[in-house]
Amino acid sequence: MNKLVTITTKFYDKSGSRIIGLDVQSRYKDSLNTNSQPTDKLGLFIFQASPNRTVEILAKPPNQKDYTVFKTINSSIHSSVKNPIKVQLPKTIDEYKKVKQSISTKGIVSTFFKIFDMNGIVMKYFPIQSRPKGKGN
């Protein structure tokens, strides 16, 4: 059996800032099996692979539904914590966070809250009515 090699990658956004806690995966090309974990406090994703294999590095930026391949490498490439493979996302993290998710406008929205009396005691079974903003009655 081949000895595994350790590959170190560092994730940056478009502005050059490291990305902490980004969901990242690695997999061999054309494989369904993945190695998943978030980037650490230095923006590093460290994984092991067999030598001389093509490896895809995927990430799931905030507000994205699926993982996207951001880099394809040969697993024999030399990397370390001091000299990681750099993976840069095409947008800043703030740009990813600003992407609007489609929100269903139909249905009932539940908002839970507590009502306290002037002594700070939670009032149970207190009747409350609410209505959508701008509606009559």
Side-chain angles (χ1 to χ4, degrees):
M1 181 167 183
N2 289 338
K3 189 174 182 181
L4 295 176
V5 293
T6 301
I7 300 171
T8 305
T9 58
K10 189 164 188 174
F11 279 80
Y12 297 93
D13 66 3
K14 183 180 176 182
S15 69
S17 300
R18 68 177 186 253
I19 305 172
I20 299 169
L22 180 68
D23 293 327
V24 182
Q25 293 182 341
S26 65
R27 70 177 180 205
Y28 295 119
K29 187 164 178 76
D30 301 324
S31 174
L32 297 177
N33 297 333
T34 61
N35 169 27
S36 301
Q37 66 186 45
T39 55
D40 65 9
K41 63 183 177 182
L42 300 174
L44 297 175
F45 172 63
I46 301 170
F47 63 97
Q48 293 186 323
S50 297
N52 290 318
R53 296 282 304 266
T54 302
V55 177
E56 295 176 329
I57 300 171
L58 304 90
K60 184 180 175 189
N63 291 334
Q64 300 297 303
K65 291 182 181 180
D66 297 321
Y67 283 86
T68 305
V69 176
F70 282 99
K71 196 155 195 111
T72 303
I73 60 169
N74 183 306
S75 61
S76 294
I77 192 168
H78 179 71
S79 66
S80 67
V81 172
K82 291 184 180 180
N83 185 27
I85 297 167
K86 295 178 181 173
V87 181
Q88 187 169 22
L89 276 63
K91 298 180 185 177
T92 64
I93 289 299
D94 290 336
E95 289 174 336
Y96 280 112
K97 288 180 180 177
K98 287 181 185 177
V99 173
K100 292 184 180 178
Q101 295 289 336
S102 61
I103 299 172
S104 175
T105 58
K106 295 182 180 180
I108 297 173
V109 177
S110 298
T111 304
F112 297 99
F113 52 92
K114 291 182 182 179
I115 298 177
F116 297 92
D117 67 4
M118 58 190 293
N119 296 325
I121 299 173
V122 176
M123 300 191 62
K124 295 182 180 180
Y125 308 111
F126 190 79
I128 297 176
Q129 281 187 328
S130 65
R131 60 178 171 76
K133 185 176 180 181
K135 298 288 182 180
N137 295 351

